Amino acid sequence: MGIIVQKFGGTSVGSVERIQNVANRVVEEKEKGNHVVVVVSAMGKTTDSLVNLAKEITENPTKREMDMLLTTGEQVTISLLTMALIEKGYEAISYTGGQAGIQTEPHHGNARIVHIDPAKIENDLHNHRIVVVAGFQGITEAREVTTLGRGGSDTTAVALAAALSADRCEIYTDVDGVYTSDPRYVKRARKLESVSYDEMLELANLGAGVLHPRAVEFAKNYHIPLEVRSSLQKDKGTIIEEEITMEQGLIVRGVAFEDEITRMTVFGIKNPMTSMSSIFSKLARHHINVDIIIQSQSEANHTNLSFSIKHQDLQDALEVLEKYREELGFTHIEHESRLAKVSIVGSGMISNPGVAAQMFDVLASNDIIIKMVSTSEIKVSVVIDEDKMVNAAQVLHETFQLDQVATPEEIYIK
Amino acid sequence: MGIIVQKFGGTSVGSVERIQNVANRVVEEKEKGNHVVVVVSAMGKTTDSLVNLAKEITENPTKREMDMLLTTGEQVTISLLTMALIEKGYEAISYTGGQAGIQTEPHHGNARIVHIDPAKIENDLHNHRIVVVAGFQGITEAREVTTLGRGGSDTTAVALAAALSADRCEIYTDVDGVYTSDPRYVKRARKLESVSYDEMLELANLGAGVLHPRAVEFAKNYHIPLEVRSSLQKDKGTIIEEEITMEQGLIVRGVAFEDEITRMTVFGIKNPMTSMSSIFSKLARHHINVDIIIQSQSEANHTNLSFSIKHQDLQDALEVLEKYREELGFTHIEHESRLAKVSIVGSGMISNPGVAAQMFDVLASNDIIIKMVSTSEIKVSVVIDEDKMVNAAQVLHETFQLDQVATPEEIYIK
């Protein structure tokens, strides 16, 4: 008798009818003889409606009050889903994040989980109850209500799976798995049977959007097998787990892309040793995520620093840097928006050093100018003009033959 | 510098615009130099919408899940009102019932407050924050979310006022005070400047509907002056406080009425001594409120027992009694619905024994048949046919001259 954590996103619980469907999926798993914990998001557009209500009142709601407001969304879903399960004759109980023992940092809007006390849920499972938990939310030690930020429900599901030593964590979503690229934009994008945590992490971080990177990290650290699958169809999804790939053909596993990137350049930094860490720690403290970083030497021993951020963070970033201009010691800042990041990802790239060169080559031959580059062992990212993004993804998908299943068939030995 | 608790009901916070109005009222009080604690209900029809959502899923939602669902309503309001106050430049903080330290019995759907820990709110007030608390809800020792049942937000407000030793508790509602009778039905019904707790208690219990009886009880026990007033107009409302009335003219202060009453009669009770307490304790345990009780002797030393309940409780009451028929020892049950209760209330009735007779007289001369009677020191209630209810209220209002201000003018010495 295993423990299965199932997570259903906002679209999957978007109406009473869909909640009934979710109840059926949950019951199916329960009938297989498993203990089931269900994590749900707010219904469909609920979060958006709540955000709009807040906007009618103020342009700058405090994060604390936004958390108070938004957490009601999941609370509605857990009660309705639990009612549906009880109506079907099953014992079920709903918990808010706080009641489920999900303790977070004392930080509103984007809190990290610091601890989960699974005792209550374990007791319920022991008593054969289906447990329904509100995703995206937790509680601080002072019992303040917090939210986990974007993709928080995925994180809730995986963190609960880890705390409960679950056998599997299933992420139900409106796509049926992880693809070699976004099928809405890239022709012949193909569903992958499985990917490694690291590959998924790169894909998620790079905006593949199916799973939140924090959730994947959690799953990796606690060795929780994840399955991304559709809440509407019964097809198998994509399994994310630790693996040794025997795959021959596919060095690159996927092409990810992300728009609304802004490149900032800070000129004339006097003390790069201290300033660089200062800049990034100040940005981090203001919750501005910096992605690609490039440092370059200029005349007179001054250093220039370029980095990429999400366009939405530009104003905040400018304010933070201007505020500490004296302390940081730089001359001026430039920024360029309407950029995109396109990345190729694959564990096999570690032993294939020519892949990056091949990528640059094909982009150049398609007149796509590379503005920033970043590489890791299993991915290469480039920043290019936003309007070239889809084109770049398409030619890379073709170049690395991602539409073709590897020969021999994708085989993994755990 | 006093502490004022203000409570705004669902209609008063029914839209973003109204929430802004409420924020203005709160700020006005704050600007007078007072500490302000605000208790709010769910916005307008929110609770109804949530109940309907639940009904789409099941006819019989569990009370626990209904509490989980409904408490989101007030949580939305507290966050929005707090945002509005912050937007106006005031320090404000929202709390759910649980966060505000409102601990209840471990009973869903209709829990009583057992304890309030005001430390957190006191600290906020000390720091000049406006505190906004979700009405209608609390938390059990096991941190289960509970609701206080109908009129629960009034109870929250008064209980908080008591716990904080507040100087006054203002109940803002869609009526502008307590009337001699319901002005929607009774011609020339008149707003009272003040009533005593006991009068209000009788009026509230009798369905005057402005204030929940539990709230009035709380206020009486802790000597909290209440003011019922309109959230839309600035007129003075009605003050409810302890008083010695010097009033000469008005023996009767108000006429209250309530429809959807059912009379049940239990026939052939063998052991009235034990059975009577058994019957009412079993009904109470199922949260069926019994109002008027009449015991009568029948042939063969058997006792018949009549009592009135709300019509909505009829099915439950029948089930409870049938379940324990053997134990309770009765022969059969009859019930009559479509009845109403009409009551006259006034502290002055204590020293005026002729009032009840006058009431029966005027009803008889208007062809209104009295089916049950109940009297206390400050009220007389009769149960009559539902379709005679408004007529009875009108003739009683006229008979006791409630449209006329007392001469000398209503004077109270505290």
Side-chain angles (χ1 to χ4, degrees):
Chain A
M1 199 166 194
I3 298 178
I4 310 294
V5 176
Q6 300 186 315
K7 180 258 170 176
F8 294 89
T11 319
S12 310
V13 294
S15 66
V16 165
E17 200 196 336
R18 287 190 174 189
I19 288 174
Q20 302 278 20
N21 285 341
V22 166
N24 290 333
R25 297 295 286 250
V26 172
V27 161
E28 253 173 58
E29 196 62 47
K30 179 76 185 157
E31 284 298 323
K32 286 182 196 161
N34 287 313
H35 293 302
V36 188
V37 176
V38 193
V39 174
V40 287
S41 303
M43 289 172 73
K45 300 286 170 205
T46 307
T47 303
D48 290 348
S49 315
L50 291 172
V51 168
N52 287 337
L53 263 181
K55 273 192 191 155
E56 283 184 57
I57 288 188
T58 170
E59 279 302 304
N60 297 301
T62 61
K63 286 182 177 175
R64 182 185 186 280
E65 299 307 327
M66 280 309 283
D67 281 357
M68 186 65 93
L69 182 65
L70 296 183
T71 48
T72 62
E74 295 82 32
Q75 195 173 327
V76 168
T77 319
I78 55 170
S79 59
L80 295 178
L81 177 58
T82 304
M83 287 175 195
L85 290 166
I86 292 172
E87 177 72 9
K88 287 180 193 298
Y90 292 80
E91 276 207 66
I93 190 160
S94 68
Y95 290 131
T96 62
Q99 289 177 327
I102 298 169
Q103 199 189 308
T104 75
E105 304 170 326
H107 178 73
H108 287 289
N110 198 18
R112 280 171 180 271
I113 296 172
V114 290
H115 176 70
I116 293 187
D117 178 358
K120 209 163 167 183
I121 295 180
E122 280 168 349
N123 180 52
D124 288 316
L125 295 180
H126 182 74
N127 289 300
H128 300 285
R129 290 191 194 106
I130 298 167
V131 178
V132 182
V133 178
F136 178 66
Q137 57 179 250
I139 204 164
T140 69
E141 215 175 337
R143 308 211 76 80
E144 287 279 295
V145 175
T146 49
T147 60
L148 309 181
R150 265 186 73 188
S153 291
D154 290 347
T155 310
T156 302
V158 178
L160 274 175
L164 295 164
S165 305
D167 297 80
R168 193 167 69 244
C169 179
E170 301 174 345
I171 309 286
Y172 289 82
T173 172
D174 48 356
V175 299
D176 59 351
V178 179
Y179 277 71
T180 52
S181 197
D182 188 333
R184 289 173 300 178
Y185 300 101
V186 174
K187 270 176 274 179
R188 303 178 69 188
R190 185 176 55 83
K191 185 164 80 181
L192 293 159
E193 272 182 36
S194 75
V195 291
S196 71
Y197 293 117
D198 283 341
E199 285 172 338
M200 190 63 221
L201 210 45
E202 293 291 3
L203 287 166
N205 262 317
L206 297 169
V210 180
L211 261 178
H212 197 270
R214 249 197 248 175
V216 181
E217 263 176 63
F218 242 108
K220 183 188 174 191
N221 291 340
Y222 292 92
H223 305 288
I224 306 291
L226 290 177
E227 183 173 0
V228 174
R229 54 192 298 185
S230 165
S231 58
L232 303 171
Q233 301 158 234
K234 299 256 168 152
D235 297 357
K236 277 180 116 181
T238 300
I239 290 175
I240 300 131
E241 59 190 346
E242 216 52 82
E243 65 196 346
I244 300 159
T245 176
M246 287 283 285
E247 206 171 5
Q248 313 257 320
L250 285 179
I251 293 160
V252 176
R253 307 295 313 280
V255 178
F257 46 91
E258 187 181 2
D259 59 2
E260 300 199 349
I261 301 293
T262 290
R263 174 175 64 169
M264 295 189 76
T265 308
V266 182
F267 288 93
I269 294 169
K270 289 184 199 96
N271 303 301
M273 291 292 280
T274 56
S275 287
M276 279 197 39
S277 77
S278 284
I279 286 175
F280 295 120
S281 64
K282 282 190 184 6
L283 291 173
R285 211 172 304 137
H286 288 79
H287 293 271
I288 296 162
N289 287 320
V290 171
D291 185 14
I292 299 175
I293 298 171
I294 293 167
Q295 188 190 349
S296 62
Q297 211 64 22
S298 72
E299 66 281 9
N301 263 348
H302 282 183
T303 296
N304 300 339
L305 188 65
S306 291
F307 52 87
S308 69
I309 57 172
K310 291 295 286 177
H311 177 68
Q312 66 191 27
D313 290 333
L314 175 60
Q315 278 314 316
D316 282 358
L318 286 172
E319 278 169 30
V320 170
L321 293 177
E322 283 302 337
K323 188 173 168 191
Y324 299 104
R325 178 196 278 265
E326 284 295 309
E327 180 187 332
L328 296 173
F330 58 87
T331 57
H332 67 291
I333 298 171
E334 287 181 3
H335 52 88
E336 181 181 11
S337 292
R338 304 194 53 76
L339 300 176
K341 184 168 70 161
V342 178
S343 311
I344 53 173
V345 175
S347 304
M349 287 163 62
I350 299 174
S351 44
N352 287 274
V355 174
Q358 200 177 347
M359 181 186 193
F360 303 154
D361 221 38
V362 69
L363 293 176
S365 68
N366 281 276
D367 294 323
I368 297 165
I369 297 160
I370 297 170
K371 308 205 165 194
M372 297 177 92
V373 175
S374 160
T375 59
S376 81
E377 289 177 327
I378 65 164
K379 70 138 199 209
V380 182
S381 299
V382 296
V383 172
I384 60 174
D385 277 333
E386 204 170 70
D387 53 11
K388 298 278 190 182
M389 177 179 76
V390 172
N391 181 221
Q394 187 67 56
V395 298
L396 290 169
H397 200 266
E398 283 161 21
T399 300
F400 293 108
Q401 300 180 302
L402 296 187
D403 56 328
Q404 289 165 37
V405 176
T407 318
E409 274 277 310
E410 295 177 358
I411 297 160
Y412 296 93
I413 296 168
K414 274 193 234 176
Chain B
M1 198 167 197
I3 297 178
I4 310 294
V5 176
Q6 300 186 315
K7 180 256 168 180
F8 294 89
T11 318
S12 310
V13 293
S15 66
V16 164
E17 201 195 336
R18 288 190 173 187
I19 287 174
Q20 302 279 19
N21 285 340
V22 166
N24 290 333
R25 297 295 285 254
V26 172
V27 160
E28 254 173 55
E29 196 61 51
K30 179 77 186 159
E31 284 299 322
K32 287 181 195 161
N34 288 312
H35 292 301
V36 188
V37 176
V38 193
V39 174
V40 287
S41 304
M43 290 172 73
K45 301 285 169 204
T46 307
T47 304
D48 291 347
S49 315
L50 292 172
V51 168
N52 287 338
L53 261 183
K55 274 192 190 152
E56 283 185 57
I57 288 189
T58 169
E59 279 302 304
N60 298 299
T62 60
K63 287 182 175 174
R64 182 187 187 278
E65 297 308 326
M66 278 310 283
D67 282 357
M68 185 66 93
L69 181 65
L70 296 183
T71 48
T72 62
E74 294 82 32
Q75 195 172 328
V76 168
T77 319
I78 56 171
S79 59
L80 294 178
L81 177 57
T82 304
M83 286 176 195
L85 290 166
I86 293 172
E87 177 72 10
K88 287 178 192 300
Y90 292 80
E91 276 206 66
I93 190 160
S94 69
Y95 290 130
T96 63
Q99 288 177 329
I102 298 169
Q103 198 189 307
T104 75
E105 305 169 325
H107 178 74
H108 287 288
N110 198 18
R112 281 172 178 272
I113 295 173
V114 291
H115 176 71
I116 293 186
D117 178 359
K120 209 164 172 183
I121 295 179
E122 280 168 349
N123 180 52
D124 288 316
L125 294 180
H126 183 74
N127 288 300
H128 300 285
R129 290 192 194 106
I130 299 168
V131 178
V132 182
V133 178
F136 178 65
Q137 56 179 249
I139 203 164
T140 69
E141 217 176 336
R143 308 210 78 79
E144 287 279 294
V145 175
T146 49
T147 59
L148 309 180
R150 268 186 71 189
S153 291
D154 290 346
T155 309
T156 301
V158 179
L160 273 175
L164 294 164
S165 305
D167 297 80
R168 193 168 70 245
C169 179
E170 301 174 346
I171 308 286
Y172 288 83
T173 171
D174 48 355
V175 300
D176 59 350
V178 179
Y179 277 72
T180 53
S181 197
D182 188 333
R184 288 173 301 178
Y185 300 101
V186 174
K187 271 176 275 181
R188 304 179 66 189
R190 184 175 57 82
K191 184 164 79 181
L192 292 160
E193 272 182 36
S194 75
V195 291
S196 71
Y197 293 118
D198 282 340
E199 286 171 338
M200 190 64 221
L201 211 45
E202 293 291 3
L203 287 166
N205 262 317
L206 297 170
V210 179
L211 261 179
H212 197 270
R214 247 196 249 176
V216 181
E217 263 175 62
F218 240 108
K220 184 188 174 191
N221 292 340
Y222 291 92
H223 306 287
I224 306 290
L226 289 178
E227 182 174 1
V228 174
R229 55 191 301 185
S230 164
S231 59
L232 303 171
Q233 301 159 233
K234 299 257 168 152
D235 297 358
K236 275 180 118 179
T238 300
I239 290 175
I240 301 132
E241 59 191 348
E242 216 52 82
E243 66 196 347
I244 299 160
T245 176
M246 288 282 285
E247 205 172 4
Q248 314 255 319
L250 285 179
I251 294 160
V252 176
R253 307 295 312 281
V255 178
F257 46 91
E258 185 182 3
D259 59 4
E260 301 200 348
I261 302 292
T262 290
R263 174 175 64 169
M264 295 188 79
T265 308
V266 181
F267 288 93
I269 293 169
K270 290 186 197 94
N271 303 301
M273 293 292 279
T274 54
S275 286
M276 280 198 39
S277 76
S278 284
I279 285 175
F280 294 121
S281 65
K282 283 191 187 356
L283 291 172
R285 211 172 306 138
H286 287 79
H287 293 272
I288 297 162
N289 287 320
V290 171
D291 185 13
I292 299 176
I293 298 172
I294 292 167
Q295 189 192 348
S296 63
Q297 211 64 21
S298 72
E299 68 279 10
N301 263 349
H302 282 182
T303 297
N304 300 339
L305 188 66
S306 291
F307 52 87
S308 69
I309 57 173
K310 291 295 285 178
H311 177 67
Q312 66 191 27
D313 289 333
L314 175 60
Q315 278 314 315
D316 282 357
L318 287 173
E319 277 169 31
V320 170
L321 293 177
E322 284 302 336
K323 188 173 167 191
Y324 299 104
R325 178 196 277 265
E326 284 296 308
E327 181 187 333
L328 297 172
F330 60 85
T331 57
H332 67 290
I333 300 171
E334 286 180 4
H335 53 87
E336 181 182 9
S337 291
R338 304 194 53 77
L339 301 176
K341 185 168 69 161
V342 178
S343 311
I344 55 175
V345 175
S347 305
M349 287 163 61
I350 298 173
S351 46
N352 286 273
V355 175
Q358 201 178 346
M359 182 187 193
F360 302 154
D361 222 36
V362 70
L363 292 177
S365 67
N366 281 276
D367 293 323
I368 296 165
I369 298 162
I370 296 170
K371 309 206 163 195
M372 298 176 92
V373 175
S374 160
T375 59
S376 80
E377 290 177 325
I378 66 164
K379 71 139 199 210
V380 182
S381 299
V382 295
V383 171
I384 59 173
D385 276 331
E386 204 171 72
D387 53 12
K388 300 277 191 182
M389 178 179 79
V390 172
N391 181 220
Q394 187 67 55
V395 297
L396 290 169
H397 200 265
E398 283 161 20
T399 300
F400 294 107
Q401 300 179 303
L402 296 188
D403 55 328
Q404 289 165 38
V405 176
T407 320
E409 274 275 310
E410 296 177 356
I411 297 160
Y412 296 91
I413 297 168
K414 275 192 235 179

